[in-house]
Amino acid sequence: MTDITLLDGSIGQELVKRSGDRATPLWSTSVMIEHPKLVGEVHLDYFKAGATIATTNTYAVLRDRLTPAGMGELLEQLTETAVMAARRARSASGGGRVAGSLGPLMASYRPDICPPAAEAAERYAEPVSLMKDHVDLFLIETMSSVDQADGALRAAMGQGVPVWLSVTVNDDDGTKLRSGEPVGDLAPLVAQHQPDAVLVNCSRPEAVAAALDIIKGFGRPFGAYANGFTRISEGFLVDRPTVDALEQRTDLGPEAYASFAMGWVEQGATIVGGCCEVGPAHIAELARQLGAAGHRIV
């Protein structure tokens, strides 16, 4: 029996589906203004499914993402709204932890337009300061390059809160980050900053195992939460993209996804969950399979 931390799944896609609104570059952020109760409902459904982590809806609550949309002045308000929604859901569920999400600056999967690590750390300092006293850990998500990960780690480490680093890898070759750098190039960075866990996220589940084979050699707890997209299309790698440019898979239902995740557990992963297009039903099935295999969800 192994103790497994069960993450939640997609937040943004769930909010779009439940709101009925058209996706925009800040779709999951706008929902907090237009449909404020939905975020808490999503968190509650993941807790009911068996998740023990509520990831705050702050992935895109970054000044450099909000300002182009004329929402820069709402950074503090949106952060508070997102964090409180997760905290209230945790209280209503009687347990669990809140993970403060820190997404990529500028855009996902675009390390080419991300500022260098020193500047990135300065930009991340603001959301880190707003969340550090109200979350149980920081979850740095979807880092596409070594330098991008470095910038976020510089800001999040040393704040008295555990830090989990999660990277995204090439859909066709899990041994490479989306920047093209080998996953193994993260090793010195991990040794330097000593994050509390290293994860893979927002990649095709087929690519995850190869990445974990490398990451498990870093000597830190590790895990993964993959997405349910066919692939990250060229149409999404543009300025201010919307999720409409990505196609949801039709062959990755709860049982199929859970099967992948159980394989990661067999590799030694102790943190698993889901990313985009992986919903509460997937997490519930993963919880069932973990229990059936004799693991304990913590």
Side-chain angles (χ1 to χ4, degrees), residues 62-63 72 75-76 121-131 155:
L62 299 163
R63 192 167 294 280
L75 175 67
E76 188 168 345
E122 293 177 358
R123 296 194 191 185
Y124 278 121
E126 188 173 25
V128 165
S129 177
L130 290 172
M131 286 194 284

Side-chain angles (χ1 to χ4, degrees), residues 40 51 56 70 79 90 110 116 123 127 158 167-168 199 208 212 217 235 261 288:
T56 61
T79 301
R90 178 186 61 184
R110 294 293 308 277
R123 296 194 191 185
V167 300
T168 179
L199 313 173
V208 169
L212 292 185
R288 187 195 68 78

Side-chain angles (χ1 to χ4, degrees), residues 132-151:
K132 67 180 182 179
D133 295 330
H134 309 288
V135 299
D136 299 300
L137 62 102
F138 280 119
L139 178 55
I140 297 171
E141 302 191 88
T142 324
M143 297 292 109
S144 295
S145 73
V146 175
D147 193 65
Q148 193 172 52
D150 187 18

Side-chain angles (χ1 to χ4, degrees), residues 241-254:
T242 69
V243 76
D244 308 69
L246 301 176
E247 181 182 354
Q248 181 180 3
R249 290 173 63 163
T250 58
D251 63 341
L252 201 62

Side-chain angles (χ1 to χ4, degrees), residues 36-182:
K37 293 183 179 180
L38 279 184
V39 180
E41 291 173 3
V42 170
H43 288 314
L44 274 173
D45 283 350
Y46 281 121
F47 277 130
K48 291 175 183 176
T52 54
I53 298 283
T55 305
T56 61
N57 187 39
T58 52
Y59 181 89
V61 183
L62 299 163
R63 192 167 294 280
D64 66 3
R65 290 195 183 217
L66 295 174
T67 298
M71 298 168 64
E73 76 281 359
L74 298 178
L75 175 67
E76 188 168 345
Q77 174 190 331
L78 289 168
T79 301
E80 181 180 5
T81 298
V83 171
M84 291 309 298
R87 287 174 63 91
R88 283 193 295 267
R90 178 186 61 184
S91 296
S93 300
R97 287 178 285 173
V98 171
S101 173
L102 295 168
L105 297 173
M106 305 301 291
S108 298
Y109 324 117
R110 294 293 308 277
D112 57 306
I113 62 173
C114 186
E119 181 182 343
E122 293 177 358
R123 296 194 191 185
Y124 278 121
E126 188 173 25
V128 165
S129 177
L130 290 172
M131 286 194 284
K132 67 180 182 179
D133 295 330
H134 309 288
V135 299
D136 299 300
L137 62 102
F138 280 119
L139 178 55
I140 297 171
E141 302 191 88
T142 324
M143 297 292 109
S144 295
S145 73
V146 175
D147 193 65
Q148 193 172 52
D150 187 18
L153 283 169
R154 291 189 193 192
M157 296 300 297
Q159 302 298 323
V161 181
V163 177
W164 295 357
L165 168 67
S166 192
V167 300
T168 179
V169 299
N170 185 289
D171 285 328
D172 299 313
D173 183 355
T175 69
K176 296 180 180 178
L177 300 173
R178 290 197 184 273
S179 63
E181 298 164 286

